[in-house]
Amino acid sequence: QLFAQVTNPPLDSTREYIVMSLECMVGPMGDITSTKEEQAGRLCLKTPMLREHELQGLMNTEVRGWKAKQLDASYPVSEGNEGLARAIQRLRLEAEQAVAAGYSIIVIT
């Protein structure tokens, strides 16, 4: 046989935990080339899905001066794809405005 044969084994979450992780970092990233202490202040979440009390804790945080802004992603289903496109555009604009206003964390609900 003069070619490599590729198999498709099932993913092994125990040995491939780094690529299988749902862990996500929250908070301002800043300059990734800096090794200053203020660059280490990010929140590590085990999953991007939060329970109600975890979401409330994040929304009410005052750690490192962070402020959280909640954005509503809902739109009338009757408006179809056009309504979805308008909602995404609205969310983009609202997120930009929130960041410009000093919010560090954007929560889309």
Side-chain angles (χ1 to χ4, degrees), residues 71 86-99:
L71 303 180
R86 281 192 297 275
I88 291 171
Q89 179 68 10
R90 175 182 48 81
L91 281 171
R92 186 185 66 79
L93 293 172
E94 289 176 0
E96 287 177 0
Q97 292 169 352
V99 170

Side-chain angles (χ1 to χ4, degrees), residues 73-90:
S74 62
Y75 71 97
V77 176
S78 61
E79 294 180 9
N81 291 338
E82 293 80 21
L84 175 60
R86 281 192 297 275
I88 291 171
Q89 179 68 10
R90 175 182 48 81

Side-chain angles (χ1 to χ4, degrees), residues 57-79:
L58 184 61
M59 292 299 299
N60 297 323
T61 189
E62 294 184 18
V63 174
R64 297 182 179 262
W66 295 354
K67 294 190 311 184
K69 177 75 173 181
Q70 187 169 353
L71 303 180
D72 180 12
S74 62
Y75 71 97
V77 176
S78 61
E79 294 180 9

Side-chain angles (χ1 to χ4, degrees), residues 2 11 18 24 26 30 38 42 60 64 70 72 92 96 99 104-105:
L2 300 175
L11 291 173
I18 292 174
C24 58
V26 176
E38 54 268 15
R42 299 185 75 206
N60 297 323
R64 297 182 179 262
Q70 187 169 353
D72 180 12
R92 186 185 66 79
E96 287 177 0
V99 170
S104 307
I105 300 172

Side-chain angles (χ1 to χ4, degrees), residues 21-27 41-47 50 66:
S21 174
L22 293 177
E23 191 173 90
C24 58
M25 302 299 287
V26 176
R42 299 185 75 206
L43 176 64
C44 179
L45 301 176
K46 295 293 179 194
T47 174
L50 301 177
W66 295 354

